[in-house]
Amino acid sequence: MEFAFPWPASQGELLAWSSAVVTLLIGLLLFLAPNLAFRILRLQAKPEKAAAIAEGRGRMSGFYLGVSLCCILLAQPLLYMALGFSWLFTAFGRLLSMMSDGANTPFNWASIVVELVLAALPLAFAFGFVP
């Protein structure tokens, strides 16, 4: 059995692949430099709670790395759909927090725009809107 890297074959797949690469980079940042990633995300772990850093390295980066690597290495439309819906629910959760938790800040508005773009790229490819 031969393993070949599936390079994006169409414009739509390239857009979806780009979303997966950005997700991979976010996952690598959380995995390799969780303190820096937390500062960027405006989160702060208490020094006496080292388990908070483990959450960034484990749960948060694990999801980003797992889904993005599956998309990049297998290049299947259903995987891109999973990536897109994951980003869409991330944006929805942020919007819900902005409406109910008083988190209506410029940072959250910028983040929701980025999350919606990262959701739209793979979903447009998976649903055939961009060939």
Side-chain angles (χ1 to χ4, degrees):
M1 181 172 150
E2 238 179 86
F3 179 77
F5 180 74
W7 192 253
S10 67
Q11 181 182 2
E13 190 175 1
L14 181 63
L15 293 175
W17 182 84
S18 299
S19 178
V21 168
V22 170
T23 306
L24 176 70
L25 293 174
I26 294 169
L28 284 173
L29 181 65
L30 281 161
F31 187 72
L32 300 173
N35 286 320
L36 174 62
F38 280 9
R39 276 197 302 269
I40 292 169
L41 295 172
R42 298 182 178 196
L43 299 173
Q44 183 177 5
K46 293 182 180 179
E48 66 273 8
K49 301 283 185 180
I53 299 299
E55 287 297 311
R57 271 208 173 112
R59 187 175 315 213
M60 293 169 70
S61 74
F63 171 77
Y64 288 136
L65 292 172
V67 172
S68 65
L69 282 172
C70 283
C71 287
I72 291 168
L73 294 176
L74 300 174
Q76 297 295 312
L78 289 176
L79 290 173
Y80 284 123
M81 189 182 298
L83 176 67
F85 276 118
S86 297
W87 278 115
L88 193 61
F89 278 105
T90 300
F92 179 69
R94 186 177 302 275
L95 181 64
L96 191 62
S97 181
M98 290 168 68
M99 292 184 339
S100 62
D101 302 331
N104 194 2
T105 64
F107 176 80
N108 278 334
W109 279 106
S111 295
I112 205 168
V113 168
V114 170
E115 292 159 358
L116 287 172
V117 168
L118 290 172
L121 296 175
L123 288 176
F125 169 68
F127 287 119
F129 294 124
V130 181

